[in-house]
Amino acid sequence: DLFKSLDSIRNNFIALAELTEGDIAFLKQHSSKTQLWGGEFIKVFYEKLLANPETARVFVPGEMEARHQTLATWYSTVAGGKIDENFWKTQYRVGLVHIKRGVKNEFMTSMMGFIQQKFQEKTNSEFDAATALRLSTCFNKVGNTVQTIISEGYRLGYIQAIISTAGLSLDLLD
């Protein structure tokens, strides 16, 4: 079952990354300011993707408004500290969508780093040093957990596709 895999992946990574409820609460505590940055981040995120021919071809004409809204919802959830079980399940599904859309993990990993960098730059300019560091650390812990869940969803989706197409046993591939 995919969601049993999700629980295992998330719990292992959260333990190793030391993502805590306190980290999520800290994001929520400062969300009145950090939520305001979403539009700016979304703009530079998609400008960067569309400027690169290889990443630009992932998108189809007429879908950018929907993609912007998807990222806006993601950012609002993370920056707002509104992370729950449905959020994690959605991240797992993103890996499966990435397979269908041809989004390589290298793209996703690079862009997660890019958005984390932009968040850190903004916290450094808007908060005192200690708060900026803690906010960036909390945001990165969530982002890294998301990245891991998406990557594993992607990997497991590919494995399942190979198994069903080739009639192989999971024992041979895992």
Side-chain angles (χ1 to χ4, degrees):
D1 178 54
L2 289 178
F3 293 121
K4 286 182 184 174
S5 296
L6 166 63
D7 290 341
S8 175
I9 294 162
R10 185 186 65 222
N11 292 338
N12 287 333
F13 191 83
I14 285 173
L16 293 170
E18 299 180 344
L19 175 62
T20 67
E21 290 298 321
D23 294 325
I24 295 168
F26 197 74
L27 288 168
K28 187 173 191 170
Q29 178 185 344
H30 293 86
S31 65
S32 63
K33 186 176 266 191
T34 60
Q35 293 264 352
L36 300 175
W37 308 338
E40 176 184 336
F41 293 159
I42 292 161
K43 181 180 182 296
V44 297
F45 182 91
Y46 284 109
E47 284 174 353
K48 186 171 190 68
L49 286 173
L50 293 171
N52 179 313
E54 193 169 351
T55 55
R57 81 178 122 229
V58 168
F59 303 102
V60 296
E63 77 165 326
M64 291 315 295
E65 187 176 327
R67 296 292 64 79
H68 281 247
Q69 186 54 52
T70 299
L71 185 56
T73 299
W74 180 89
Y75 179 80
S76 175
T77 301
V78 175
K82 299 178 279 187
I83 297 164
D84 60 14
E85 185 66 23
N86 285 330
F87 172 78
W88 296 121
K89 286 180 179 179
T90 299
Q91 302 318 294
Y92 194 77
R93 288 184 196 106
V94 169
L96 304 177
V97 171
H98 280 182
I99 293 170
K100 182 179 179 183
R101 296 294 302 267
V103 177
K104 298 176 183 176
N105 274 337
E106 66 196 64
F107 300 161
M108 187 270 303
T109 302
S110 298
M111 293 310 294
M112 180 62 77
F114 177 76
I115 212 72
Q116 288 172 327
Q117 174 188 333
K118 293 298 177 192
F119 188 86
Q120 182 177 8
E121 289 170 1
K122 197 73 168 174
T123 59
N124 287 342
S125 70
E126 299 286 329
F127 291 97
D128 65 83
T131 303
L133 176 61
R134 175 101 192 269
L135 273 171
S136 293
T137 299
C138 296
F139 188 84
N140 289 348
K141 286 180 181 182
V142 173
N144 292 341
T145 304
V146 165
Q147 183 174 284
T148 299
I149 290 170
I150 291 172
S151 294
E152 279 300 288
Y154 190 93
R155 183 183 74 83
L156 293 172
Y158 260 112
I159 289 172
Q160 288 185 333
I162 291 168
I163 288 169
S164 66
T165 302
L168 298 173
S169 167
L170 180 60
D171 296 333
L172 293 173
L173 298 173
D174 202 19

